[in-house]
């Protein structure tokens, strides 16, 4: 029974069989071909038996394994590696069909690879998850054919392998260096204008590109015959809370990922930067109530605690209750802190409903509101118009984009900092804003 389940007849066999049927038709017209056609049938049967013997005489014809990361990074390309070792004494053709988790909705995955006798091959492909959670791989199916290519033998490996998908730890590694230096322009990112700094002197060091020219120490420069600057230490151990709105407004998708998941990925990276800058990082999420809370601390296990909490954020996208957010912050955050709020406002009416609560939070804390521009509107705005309907769509799109800028100006009027960003630039813009606040010493 096991033999029957693993045996598959290849298309090549059916093509040959179809040719034989055609020859039998010809044999009715030319009887002299009849015996020759039966000889071909005998040869085909012999080769079929030989092919079965070649593939099934070896008990373990191949060894294979699927190598996945310990966890997948949400929103990023994650490498999956398949290793195949050919234990046959002849070259084989391997058709790999990996049962990818249903979340990817891939129905036609197939890789064909030729492997030399007694050789080992590595096959790789990438997966980009777009939601957090547990991803279950099914069977790793490998169909092996001999050089005769009449049949295939199926081998099955690594059944029911589970890999969790966490917030983007790949971005975390990518931006880890940003926590050490404020000179982001070295990485092709806008340079932060350092308006001021705290007055706690740290050391005199040699000038590097990006240092504030106002801190040049002319006496030390004359002694060393090289440009020297005073370095001041940023104030440390300040509390920074990253608040994530997980309500209805964060459900909008962009490039397969919801705005909520963009905010979660950004929160993970920014928390790492905050801790590396010796500040205390905390997070919480809210919709109908405030939950998923991690109090601002600077301990060594804080990043792991934040990562696990972000992984477990779940939502059914209710309407967010900003009054409860205000009361919770008033009750639980007594020390003046930097609160970075990830949310989204599409209209001035939407902002005005929540503005009294945002103003209340800003009285006791430094509040930064991050909201998103609709990138699909940019396509409509920059598209050439040819019909009345297209002109109408363009005017409406420009109105919505203008309203986004009005929201930023309205927040600024009440001393609330804001970032209007595109989802793909969210992490960089959030890091830039935090480092700008640190360099200005306004917390």
């Amino acid at each position: 029974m096991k033999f029957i389940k693993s045996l598959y007849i290849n298309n090549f066999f059916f093509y040959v069989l179809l040719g034989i049927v055609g020859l039998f038709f010809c044999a009715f017209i030319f009887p002299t071909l009849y015996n020759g056609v039966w000889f071909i049938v005998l040869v085909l049967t012999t080769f079929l038996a030989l092919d079965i013997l070649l593939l099934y005489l070896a008990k373990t014809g191949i060894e294979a394994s699927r190598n996945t990361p310990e966890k997948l990074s949400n929103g990023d390309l994650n490498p999956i590696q398949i290793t195949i070792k050919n234990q046959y004494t002849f070259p084989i053709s391997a058709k790999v069909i990996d049962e990818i988790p249903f979340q990817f909705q891939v129905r036609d995955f197939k890789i064909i690879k030729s492997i030399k006798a007694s050789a080992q091959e590595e096959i790789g492909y990438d997966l980009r998850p777009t939601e957090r959670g547990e991803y279950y791989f099914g069977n790793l199916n490998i169909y092996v054919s001999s050089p005769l290519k009449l049949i295939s033998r199926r081998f099955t490996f690594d059944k029911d392998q589970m890999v969790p998908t966490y917030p983007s730890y790949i971005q975390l590694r990518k931006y880890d260096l940003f926590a050490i230096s404020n000179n982001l322009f070295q990485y092709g990112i806008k340079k932060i204008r350092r308006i001021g700094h705290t007055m706690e002197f740290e050391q005199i060091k040699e000038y590097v590109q990006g240092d504030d020219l106002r801190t040049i120490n002319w006496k030390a420069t004359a002694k060393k015959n090289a440009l020297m600057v005073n370095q001041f230490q940023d104030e440390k151990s300040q509390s920074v809370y990253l608040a994530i709105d997980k309500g209805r407004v964060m459900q909008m998708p962009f490039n397969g990922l919801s705005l909520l998941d963009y905010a979660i990925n950004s929160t993970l990276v920014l928390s790492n930067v905050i801790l590396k800058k010796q500040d205390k990082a905390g997070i919480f999420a809210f919709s109908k109530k405030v939950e998923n809370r991690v109090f601002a601390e600077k301990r060594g296990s804080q990043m792991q605690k934040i990562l696990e909490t972000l992984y477990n954020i779940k939502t059914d996208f209710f309407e967010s209750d900003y009054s409860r957010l205000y009361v919770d912050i008033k009750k639980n955050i007594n020390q003046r802190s930097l609160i970075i709020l990830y949310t989204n406002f599409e209209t001035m009416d939407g902002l005005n409903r929540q503005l009294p609560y945002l103003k209340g939070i800003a009285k006791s804390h430094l509040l930064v509101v991050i909201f998103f521009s609709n990138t699909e509107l940019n396509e409509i705005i920059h598209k050439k118009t040819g019909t009345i309907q297209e002109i109408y769509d363009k005017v409406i799109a420009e109105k919505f984009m203008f309203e986004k800028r009005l929201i930023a100006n309205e927040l600024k009027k009440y001393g609330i900092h804001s970032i209007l960003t595109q989802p793909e630039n969210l992490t960089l813009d959030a890091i830039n804003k935090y480092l700008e606040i640190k360099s200005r010493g306004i917390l």
Side-chain angles (χ1 to χ4, degrees):
M1 192 68 178
K2 189 177 179 181
F3 164 76
I4 297 297
K5 285 186 176 180
S6 64
L7 177 64
Y8 289 82
I9 299 175
N10 291 340
N11 289 340
F12 179 65
F13 175 83
F14 292 107
Y15 295 149
V16 174
L17 207 60
L18 192 63
I20 290 172
V21 171
L23 288 174
F24 270 117
F25 276 111
C26 293
F28 280 106
I29 303 170
F30 307 102
T32 52
L33 296 175
Y34 189 73
N35 291 332
V37 175
W38 274 112
F39 177 75
I40 294 172
V41 171
L42 180 63
V43 170
L44 177 62
T45 306
T46 304
F47 276 114
L48 181 64
L50 180 61
D51 206 4
I52 292 172
L53 286 173
L54 284 172
L55 290 176
Y56 282 89
L57 276 179
K59 190 175 181 181
T60 54
I62 63 166
E63 290 181 356
S65 62
R66 181 201 300 116
N67 304 308
T68 65
E70 184 180 343
K71 51 184 178 285
L72 300 178
S73 178
N74 194 24
D76 300 309
L77 290 175
N78 297 265
I80 310 295
Q81 204 76 19
I82 294 173
T83 304
I84 304 174
K85 186 176 181 181
N86 180 16
Q87 296 183 335
Y88 288 110
T89 55
F90 51 84
I92 61 170
S93 175
K95 180 167 71 173
V96 180
I97 298 180
D98 199 359
E99 295 178 3
I100 293 172
F102 72 89
Q103 289 95 331
F104 296 101
Q105 293 296 299
V106 177
R107 308 293 187 190
D108 56 352
F109 181 89
K110 182 173 66 175
I111 298 175
I112 297 175
K113 189 78 174 178
S114 296
I115 306 174
K116 294 179 181 178
S118 304
Q120 181 173 301
E121 285 286 343
E122 301 281 343
I123 299 171
Y125 64 94
D126 294 320
L127 292 177
R128 181 180 180 267
T130 55
E131 57 186 63
R132 289 161 291 114
E134 296 180 344
Y135 285 62
Y136 287 89
F137 286 83
N139 294 334
L140 173 59
N141 301 296
I142 301 178
Y143 297 83
V144 175
S145 298
S146 74
L148 296 176
K149 295 187 183 298
L150 294 175
I151 66 160
S152 294
R153 180 182 176 184
R154 184 180 71 173
F155 294 87
T156 303
F157 305 92
D158 295 343
K159 185 178 180 181
D160 296 333
Q161 182 181 4
M162 193 280 286
V163 183
T165 295
Y166 274 73
S168 180
Y169 62 86
I170 290 179
Q171 282 191 39
L172 180 66
R173 294 171 187 164
K174 179 180 176 183
Y175 298 126
D176 204 25
L177 289 173
F178 293 175
I180 301 170
S181 171
N182 287 359
N183 299 325
L184 299 186
F185 64 96
Q186 294 176 5
Y187 301 90
I189 305 161
K190 68 175 184 180
K191 179 179 175 182
I192 296 173
R193 182 171 175 238
R194 298 176 68 97
I195 296 175
H197 46 69
T198 53
M199 298 310 293
E200 187 178 347
F201 176 78
E202 186 177 11
Q203 64 174 346
I204 298 173
K205 70 178 188 71
E206 194 167 334
Y207 173 84
V208 294
Q209 189 179 9
D211 284 334
D212 193 341
L213 295 175
R214 294 172 298 172
T215 62
I216 293 175
N217 188 318
W218 293 108
K219 288 184 179 179
T221 298
K223 287 180 182 179
K224 286 277 188 179
N225 198 26
L227 211 53
M228 307 296 289
V229 295
N230 295 329
Q231 186 172 17
F232 296 89
Q233 192 176 53
D234 288 332
E235 190 176 346
K236 297 177 180 178
S237 296
Q238 296 173 306
S239 295
V240 182
Y241 280 93
L242 307 176
I244 303 172
D245 182 351
K246 57 178 186 176
R248 178 182 55 80
V249 295
M250 299 293 279
Q251 192 176 8
M252 183 184 297
F254 176 81
N255 198 18
L257 234 60
S258 68
L259 295 182
L260 174 64
D261 277 309
Y262 276 105
I264 287 172
N265 289 347
S266 174
T267 296
L268 180 66
V269 176
L270 186 51
S271 297
N272 185 54
V273 173
I274 291 165
L275 291 170
K276 291 287 179 69
K277 297 293 285 184
Q278 304 300 314
D279 281 335
K280 295 183 285 188
I283 67 166
F284 56 88
F286 72 99
S287 57
K288 292 181 74 174
K289 60 181 179 178
V290 179
E291 49 195 355
N292 306 110
R293 189 194 312 275
V294 177
F295 285 101
E297 297 287 349
K298 201 171 61 174
R299 63 183 67 179
S301 61
Q302 189 74 349
M303 268 310 297
Q304 185 60 35
K305 195 173 181 182
I306 288 173
L307 177 62
E308 292 297 334
T309 303
L310 291 173
Y311 171 71
N312 288 305
I313 287 180
K314 293 179 174 60
T315 182
D316 41 19
F317 296 108
F318 284 119
E319 191 72 29
S320 299
D321 188 346
Y322 277 76
S323 63
R324 184 162 291 188
L325 172 68
Y326 168 71
V327 171
D328 189 272
I329 290 174
K330 193 81 172 172
K331 178 182 176 183
N332 293 300
I333 306 178
N334 299 319
Q335 180 187 0
R336 177 174 167 82
S337 306
L338 169 60
I339 297 177
I340 299 176
L341 172 62
Y342 292 91
T343 186
N344 196 32
F345 296 112
E346 289 293 339
T347 63
M348 282 295 296
D349 288 337
L351 172 67
N352 289 331
R353 283 196 298 270
Q354 315 302 346
L355 194 55
Y357 307 114
L358 297 178
K359 287 160 61 178
I361 296 169
K363 283 181 181 178
S364 306
H365 306 279
L366 181 61
L367 178 61
V368 177
V369 175
I370 301 178
F371 61 108
F372 299 89
S373 62
N374 192 330
T375 52
E376 291 183 2
L377 294 180
N378 287 331
E379 296 177 10
I380 298 173
I381 290 170
H382 295 104
K383 182 182 175 183
K384 287 186 177 181
T385 56
T387 65
I388 297 296
Q389 182 62 45
E390 288 176 347
I391 294 171
Y392 177 78
D393 292 342
K394 186 172 183 176
V395 170
I396 295 298
E398 288 175 345
K399 175 184 178 295
F400 277 114
M401 290 296 287
F402 179 69
E403 199 153 5
K404 289 278 188 178
R405 293 192 291 272
L406 284 180
I407 290 170
N409 289 332
E410 186 71 11
L411 290 169
K412 185 178 180 181
K413 192 163 53 173
Y414 296 103
I416 300 171
H417 296 255
S418 66
I419 303 173
L420 175 59
T421 183
Q422 296 180 1
E424 69 266 31
N425 299 329
L426 172 61
T427 300
L428 293 178
D429 289 342
I431 293 173
N432 271 325
K433 191 66 177 179
Y434 165 70
L435 294 179
E436 178 191 339
I437 290 170
K438 289 292 292 180
S439 68
R440 294 173 62 186
I442 58 176
L443 178 54

